[in-house]
C-alpha cells in the first residue's frame, strides 16, 4: 500500500497537519498537490509548533523527501519565508523540491484578490487574500506564469510584459487602482527565481520513481471537500479542486497508483469565511467550542464559525472522494459536554435532504435534523486505545463512523503527535 492521501473532509482546518506529521514517520515521501499558502497546517512535535502553508508537513523527518507538486500555486515570498523559519529551527530543507510546472502567485493576483472581494460587497467569499483565486483563474485562462518561466529570464520578461499589460488594464480601468511597474516586478521575481532554483525539479518524475521503488508515499491535501470548486458550497469555495479528484492532476501520477484516501474530520464542524453552514451554532455553545478549541484561523487569525458534526456533509464528502477511512480529530474538545448533537439530515419545510443541495439558495434554507447523544464528561487526552475510552465516547466514534460511511482509522485526542488513538494501520 504505498500511496496514501490525507485530505480534508469538511471545510478545512480539520487537523491535516497533525495527521500528516504523525503518519510521515513511516513515509519516504510527502507531497502537496493542491491549493497554495491559503492553507495553514499546524504541526506540534518535539521540535516545536509550526504553521505550514506550502511546505509539506513531512519536513520534520530528515529521511522524508518533500514535494510541492504542479497542482499547487506558489507565492515565492511565502515559500522562502517558510524555508527561513525552518532553517532557524535547524530543520533541513535539503530534501524539499518544487515542481517546475507549478504556477506562481504574482503581485497582481494578491491585489486583485482584495479588489474582487471588496467588489463582492455583502456577497464576499471571505478569501484568505493570498491571491489564490486569481492565480488559478490565470492558470485556466492560460495566462499564468510558472516556476519554469521564472527560471528563463529572457522569456520571463517577454511573457510578463504581455501579461502585465493585461493586468494593468484591469487594475486601472476596472478598479481605478495603480498600475504595476514592469521593471520592478521583473527584478523582484528574478531575485526570487535565483533563490528558488535549487529547489526546482520535475517532481512528477521524483514521485513516480519513488512509487516504482515501492516507497511509502503520503499525499497531503489542503482545504476541505466542502471548499472544493466542483463539489463544495459553490460559490463559497476555493478556486481549485481539493478532493480525491485533484490528486493525480496535481502530481502527475495515475489515480490507480493511489491506494488509500483518508479524510480528516473534526469531531464537530468549523468553517472560516462566508457561505452556508447548516449546523453553525450562533449561541453560547458555539462560542464555548471556539474558546475551548481556540478556533482561530492558522493563516488569517479570523475566528472560525463553529457547529455540531454535520453528518450530511460528511457522508457526501465520503462518497465523492471514495474514502477508505476517516481520521477524527479534536475529540478532546467535546470532553465536557453533557450531551452532543450530530446532524443526520437537512430539512426545508417538509422536504428532507440527505446530501447538500447544489443550489446555494436552497442550502441556505436547510435546517439541521439532530440526533442527541450522551457526552462522556471526562478527559480523553491521555487515552491511547479505543477500548479505554468511556462507553459514551466509544458510541460517539461509532456514530461518526456510521454517519461518514467508512471506518475510522485514528482518533486524535490532542494537538501533539502522541495524543492519538490508532484504530487500524494506515500503510
Ligand atoms: P489543518 O489546516 O487541517 O492542518 O488544521 P489547522 O492546523 O488549521 O487547525 C487544526 C487545529 O487543531 C490546530 O490548532 C491543531 O494544533 C489542532 N488540533 C489537531 N488535532 C487536535 C486534537 O485532537 N485536539 C486538539 N485539542 N487540537 C487539535
Ligand atoms: P487548510 O488547508 C479553511 C477558505 C477561505 C474562504 C475560501 C476561499 O488550512 O484546511 P481562498 O483564499 O482559497 O480563495 O478562500 O476558502 N479556505 C480555507 N478555510 N482552511 C483552509 O486551508 C482554507 N483555504 C481556503 O477561508 O472561505
Ligand atoms: Mg488550516
Amino acid at each position: 500500500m504505498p500511496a496514501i492521501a490525507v485530505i480534508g473532509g469538511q471545510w478545512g482546518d480539520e487537523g491535516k497537519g497533525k495527521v500528516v506529521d504523525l503518519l510521515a514517520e513511516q513515509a519516504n515521501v510527502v507531497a502537496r498537490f493542491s491549493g497554495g499558502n491559503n492553507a495553514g497546517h499546524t504541526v506540534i512535535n518535539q521540535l516545536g509548533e509550526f504553521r505550514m502553508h506550502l511546505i509539506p508537513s513531512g519536513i520534520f523527518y530528515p529521511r522524508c523527501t518533500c514535494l510541492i507538486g504542479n497542482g499547487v500555486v506558489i507565492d515565492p515570498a511565502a515559500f522562502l519565508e517558510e524555508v527561513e523559519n525552518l532553517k532557524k529551527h535547524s530543520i533541513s530543507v535539503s530534501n524539499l523540491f518544487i515542481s517546475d510546472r507549478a504556477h506562481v502567485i504574482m503581485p497582481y493576483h494578491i491585489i486583485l484578490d482584495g479588489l474582487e472581494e471588496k467588489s463582492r460587497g455583502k456577497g464576499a467569499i471571505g478569501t484568505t487574500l493570498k491571491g489564490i483565486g486569481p492565480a488559478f483563474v490565470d492558470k485556466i485562462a492560460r495566462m499564468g506564469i510558472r516556476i519554469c518561466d521564472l527560471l528563463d529570464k529572457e522569456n520571463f520578461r517577454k511573457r510578463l510584459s504581455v501579461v502585465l499589460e493585461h493586468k494593468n488594464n484591469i487594475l486601472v480601468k476596472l478598479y481605478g487602482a495603480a498600475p504595476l511597474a514592469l521593471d520592478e516586478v521583473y527584478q523582484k521575481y528574478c531575485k526570487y527565481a535565483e533563490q528558488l532554483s535549487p529547489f526546482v525539479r520535475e517532481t512528477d518524475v521524483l514521485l513516480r520513481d519513488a512509487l516504482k521503488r515501492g516507497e511509502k508515499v503520503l499525499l497531503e491535501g489542503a482545504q476541505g471537500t466542502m471548499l472544493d470548486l466542483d463539489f463544495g458550497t459553490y460559490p463559497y469555495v476555493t478556486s481549485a479542486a481539493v478532493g480525491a479528484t485533484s490528486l493525480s492532476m496535481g502530481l502527475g501520477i495515475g489515480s490507480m497508483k493511489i491506494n488509500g484516501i483518508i479524510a480528516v474530520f473534526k469531531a464537530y464542524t468549523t468553517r472560516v469565511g462566508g457561505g452556508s453552514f447548516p449546523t453553525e451554532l450562533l449561541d453560547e455553545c458555539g462560542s464555548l467550542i471556539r474558546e475551548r478549541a481556540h478556533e482561530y484561523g492558522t493563516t488569517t487569525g479570523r475566528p472560525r464559525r463553529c457547529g455540531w458534526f454535520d453528518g450530511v456533509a460528511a457522508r457526501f464528502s465520503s462518497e465523492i472522494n471514495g474514502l477508505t477511512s476517516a481520521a477524527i480529530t479534536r475529540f478532546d474538545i467535546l470532553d465536557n459536554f453533557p450531551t452532543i448533537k450530530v446532524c443526520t439530515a437537512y430539512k426545508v419545510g417538509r422536504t428532507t435532504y440527505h446530501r447538500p443541495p447544489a443550489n446555494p439558495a436552497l442550502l441556505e434554507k436547510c435546517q439541521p435534523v439532530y440526533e442527541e447523544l450522551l457526552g462522556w464528561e471526562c478527559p480523553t487526552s491521555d487515552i491511547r486505545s479505543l477500548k479505554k475510552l468511556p462507553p459514551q465516547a466509544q458510541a460517539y466514534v461509532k456514530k461518526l463512523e456510521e454517519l461518514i460511511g467508512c471506518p475510522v482509522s485514528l482518533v486524535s485526542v490532542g494537538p501533539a503527535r502522541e495524543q492519538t488513538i490508532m484504530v487500524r494501520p494506515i500503510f
Side-chain angles (χ1 to χ4, degrees):
M1 292 249 298
I4 304 287
V6 175
I7 62 172
Q10 297 161 315
W11 277 275
D13 301 328
E14 300 90 346
K16 297 174 291 293
K18 140 120 197 202
V19 173
V20 171
D21 172 63
L22 173 77
L23 301 182
E25 188 178 9
Q26 300 170 59
N28 305 92
V29 180
V30 179
R32 274 277 308 266
F33 53 88
S34 65
N37 60 320
N38 47 351
H41 297 179
T42 313
V43 172
I44 301 173
N45 55 33
Q46 79 284 2
L47 301 165
E49 178 166 344
F50 302 87
R51 285 175 182 80
M52 314 303 291
H53 300 289
L54 277 165
I55 298 180
S57 303
I59 197 74
F60 305 96
Y61 299 95
R63 71 177 181 87
C64 204
T65 299
C66 286
L67 306 178
I68 302 180
N70 55 282
V72 178
V73 287
I74 298 178
D75 179 332
F79 173 80
L80 293 166
E81 193 185 320
E82 239 177 294
V83 165
E84 275 318 301
N85 184 46
L86 290 171
K87 282 185 179 166
K88 245 192 260 161
H89 287 83
S90 310
I91 294 154
S92 167
V93 290
S94 61
N95 282 341
L96 170 64
F97 303 109
I98 59 181
S99 167
D100 54 350
R101 291 171 191 268
H103 280 248
V104 180
I105 295 185
M106 302 296 292
Y108 43 82
H109 292 139
I110 299 171
I111 298 170
L112 285 169
D113 201 353
L115 292 170
E116 286 167 8
E117 271 292 80
K118 207 167 161 202
S119 76
R120 287 183 190 113
K122 278 191 182 149
I125 292 163
T127 76
T128 57
L129 302 176
K130 303 285 181 192
I132 306 293
F136 277 113
V137 166
D138 275 1
K139 176 176 176 173
I140 304 287
R142 291 159 296 187
M143 209 184 267
I145 288 175
R146 300 187 295 169
I147 295 285
C148 56
D149 299 321
L150 289 190
L151 300 188
D152 177 350
K153 277 191 178 180
E154 206 177 305
N155 280 316
F156 171 45
R157 190 174 176 103
K158 279 190 208 150
R159 181 148 179 84
L160 182 65
S161 62
V162 174
V163 174
L164 197 59
E165 191 184 340
H166 180 83
K167 295 295 167 187
N168 276 339
N169 269 332
I170 296 176
L171 288 175
V172 174
K173 294 182 186 158
L174 191 60
Y175 291 108
L180 290 168
L182 174 64
D183 264 334
E184 224 170 275
V185 178
Y186 176 70
Q187 295 303 342
K188 193 170 173 184
Y189 276 70
C190 280
K191 181 116 196 290
Y192 286 147
E194 276 167 33
Q195 294 168 283
L196 292 178
S197 84
F199 296 99
V200 181
R201 292 289 186 284
E202 290 173 317
T203 51
D204 59 313
V205 177
L206 297 183
L207 192 54
R208 283 195 303 274
D209 284 349
L211 288 170
K212 276 182 209 153
R213 291 191 296 270
E215 291 184 3
K216 289 177 179 165
V217 170
L218 206 53
L219 309 175
E220 177 175 355
Q223 288 78 56
T225 305
M226 299 312 288
L227 290 171
D228 182 88
L229 187 56
D230 277 77
F231 290 104
T233 45
Y234 193 89
Y236 296 92
V237 291
T238 191
S239 295
V242 304
T245 52
S246 60
L247 286 164
S248 54
M249 210 162 66
L251 290 166
I253 54 169
S255 49
M256 298 298 280
K257 302 278 182 218
I258 297 153
N259 310 78
I261 302 174
I262 304 170
V264 186
F265 294 89
K266 277 178 186 166
Y268 48 93
T269 312
T270 64
R271 171 164 208 178
V272 223
S276 291
F277 179 4
T279 64
E280 181 169 18
L281 291 164
L282 294 166
D283 57 6
E284 259 178 39
C285 190
S287 315
L288 195 66
I289 295 177
R290 182 163 37 253
E291 295 319 314
R292 195 172 283 170
H294 193 73
E295 288 289 4
Y296 292 88
T298 311
T299 299
T300 57
R302 288 176 291 175
R304 293 176 184 146
R305 300 156 67 190
C306 299
W308 295 119
F309 188 83
D310 184 340
V312 178
R315 171 59 72 113
F316 179 70
S317 172
S318 171
E319 284 172 357
I320 64 159
N321 289 308
L323 297 186
T324 49
S325 75
I328 308 298
T329 60
R330 297 266 205 185
F331 199 78
D332 52 300
I333 299 302
L334 301 181
D335 281 353
N336 298 328
F337 286 91
T339 55
I340 297 166
K341 288 182 185 169
V342 291
C343 167
T344 57
Y346 298 158
K347 260 204 149 148
V348 180
R350 286 186 184 172
T351 313
T352 305
Y353 294 88
H354 293 285
R355 55 183 255 140
N359 176 356
L362 183 57
L363 182 63
E364 191 60 40
K365 290 192 192 128
C366 282
Q367 293 300 316
V369 177
Y370 284 123
E371 188 177 324
E372 197 165 67
L373 292 102
L374 279 181
W376 43 95
E377 296 186 88
C378 69
T380 54
S381 281
D382 294 327
I383 297 177
R384 299 290 173 267
S385 113
L386 207 53
K387 282 189 192 130
K388 295 215 166 118
L389 281 177
Q392 300 89 333
Q394 289 189 40
Y396 192 65
V397 175
K398 263 210 147 34
K399 176 54 73 179
L400 296 188
E401 210 161 45
E402 181 193 306
L403 289 170
I404 299 167
C406 74
V408 165
S409 48
L410 71 84
V411 179
S412 171
V413 288
R417 243 183 218 172
E418 62 280 6
Q419 290 177 306
T420 309
I421 298 172
M422 288 307 299
V423 181
R424 60 193 83 234
I426 305 257
F427 276 111

